[in-house]
């Protein structure tokens, strides 16, 4: 998946690759591919974010609790071996929209039509289960060509 993400980002002129990760293995594999675009690593664990900050081309993001299907108090944010994940609390489109906002906050995108390549593993919280790759505009998964769909 990470090799495909690099190739897709290059082919579509995407502005970045967004990886959801628990322990950082997906992001490290993506970093080893040396993509020409930055990698936004979204992880619920402070220790993982700190380690990923040392990787090539990686910009870690530590979302607030509950923002990406992860819920934990501050003490549990260090418990990589037993993450607390809300299975049905959030819709995947909302998670993707929050990822787009994180890319905007980090300065990876500056136009609503900028593309992002997103990798994730569903269900969330399953280490090593990277099984999804999506290309979406920075405006969010509901918007293409400046037209946003409202459900």
């Amino acid at each position: 998946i990470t090799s495909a993400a690099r190739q897709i980002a290059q082919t579509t002129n995407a502005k970045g690759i967004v990886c959801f990760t628990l322990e950082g293995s997906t992001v490290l594999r993506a970093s080893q591919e040396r993509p020409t675009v930055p990698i936004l690593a979204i992880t619920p664990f402070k220790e993982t974010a700190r380690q990923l900050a040392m990787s090539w081309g990686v910009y870690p993001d530590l979302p607030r609790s509950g923002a990406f299907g992860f819920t934990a108090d501050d003490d549990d944010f260090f418990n990589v071996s037993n993450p607390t994940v809300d299975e049905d609390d959030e819709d995947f489109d909302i998670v993707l929209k929050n990822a787009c906002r994180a890319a905007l906050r980090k300065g990876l995108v500056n136009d609503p039509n900028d593309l992002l390549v997103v990798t994730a593993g569903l269900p969330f919280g399953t280490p090593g289960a990277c099984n999804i790759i999506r290309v979406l505009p920075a405006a969010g998964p509901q918007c293409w060509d400046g037209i946003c769909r409202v459900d």
Side-chain angles (χ1 to χ4, degrees):
I1 294 279
T2 56
S3 178
R6 180 190 57 78
Q7 291 173 350
I8 291 169
Q10 186 174 359
T11 302
T12 62
N13 293 322
K15 296 292 184 178
I17 297 172
V18 180
C19 295
F20 290 92
T21 186
L22 287 176
E23 298 177 8
S25 59
T26 302
V27 176
L28 292 174
R29 280 193 295 272
S31 177
Q32 287 174 348
E33 293 287 331
R34 298 291 193 257
T36 57
V37 296
I39 301 167
L40 176 61
I42 299 175
T43 179
F45 302 116
K46 291 177 185 176
E47 189 63 30
T48 301
R50 290 176 182 150
Q51 291 171 355
L52 291 174
M54 301 300 292
S55 299
W56 187 90
V58 175
Y59 296 85
D61 187 58
L62 191 67
R64 69 183 193 290
S65 179
F68 293 101
F70 298 103
T71 58
D73 56 24
D74 285 341
D75 294 334
D76 289 336
F77 260 53
F78 289 103
N79 190 359
V80 176
S81 61
N82 188 22
T84 305
V85 179
D86 286 344
E87 293 292 332
D88 55 359
D89 214 23
E90 298 214 22
D91 184 34
F92 189 56
D93 280 348
I94 294 172
V95 172
L96 291 175
K97 191 169 194 171
N98 286 337
C100 292
R101 289 178 181 157
L104 180 63
R105 270 195 326 272
K106 291 283 185 181
L108 302 182
V109 294
N110 55 14
D111 184 87
N113 292 321
D114 287 344
L115 296 178
L116 294 168
V117 178
V118 180
T119 67
L122 286 181
F124 280 117
T126 307
C130 186
N131 56 10
I132 291 177
I133 188 164
R134 300 262 308 259
V135 178
L136 53 115
Q142 307 294 337
C143 301
W144 284 100
D145 296 326
I147 301 170
C148 293
R149 185 185 72 201
V150 179
D151 292 333

